[in-house]
Amino acid sequence: MTHALSPSGTLRLVIFDCDGVLIDSEGPSCRLVAQVARDHGIAVSDEEGLKRFAGKALSEVKRELEAETGYDLGDDYVAIMQDRLVDLMRDEARPIDGAASMLAGVQALDLPFRVGSNSSWPEMDVKFARVGFSSLFPRHRVHSARDMMRPKPDPHVFLLAAAEERVDPSHCVVIEDSDTGVQAAHDAGMACILLRADGPSPRQGWLGLRRISHLDELVPILDHVLKEQAI
């Protein structure tokens, strides 16, 4: 299964997206965004909102809604929505099925891991506290593309995570669930494992892209790669 890595790469760092990979927050978040869209006259259901807004930065959502309605949502839209999301996640964040056991498995492999997310640090703080992951993800190992003002598909958040770990991008694998995250991993020169049970794969495909349907599949893949590179 070496095709989970670049041809010259050695696995030294796992970079997790947060929402949809570790934290089951996409549903509540997208429902909130959809409700705000409806408040501004856009007929989008909660279900459509999940398909449309999942994985997107709030700044991108703002541009989309403004282009569709011709209405200026205001300079404070992102800040207001961010505050509302933090409050929402404090009560509604849940772990993705299998996340806790998967993280224990990655730890057992002695693989370092970090988080690279479009969520803000305050939002991730409350999410990890809510699900009991705070001790696994101290702030210095969590990277917010939102707070860096360079959201995915910009690869900066993944490249920064690798630089902080002092690991070459070709030695990293990103775990993602969104097309924008997959694009960011590709542009960062990293392998990527897409967590997606249903629906199409992203248009962007390359040798280092794999797809799994459940987190239970991840640790065996990583273990196999480590054993192969030890030979």
Side-chain angles (χ1 to χ4, degrees), residues 117-193:
S117 173
N118 273 349
S119 290
S120 70
W121 278 302
E123 189 180 340
M124 285 189 280
D125 283 345
V126 298
K127 289 172 184 173
F128 292 148
R130 166 79 178 174
V131 305
F133 289 172
S134 295
S135 62
L136 296 172
F137 297 107
R139 175 63 73 88
H140 71 279
R141 303 194 70 80
V142 176
H143 308 279
S144 167
R146 157 75 175 86
D147 290 343
M148 286 184 255
M149 304 300 292
R150 296 183 66 171
K152 305 171 200 174
D154 189 314
H156 180 73
V157 68
F158 293 150
L159 291 171
L160 179 63
E164 290 289 328
E165 194 69 32
R166 298 183 179 180
V167 170
D168 189 87
S170 68
H171 297 164
C172 302
V173 61
V174 172
I175 317 302
E176 266 288 352
D177 71 311
S178 71
D179 289 4
T180 54
V182 168
Q183 183 67 54
H186 173 268
D187 292 349
M190 299 178 179
C192 183
I193 296 177

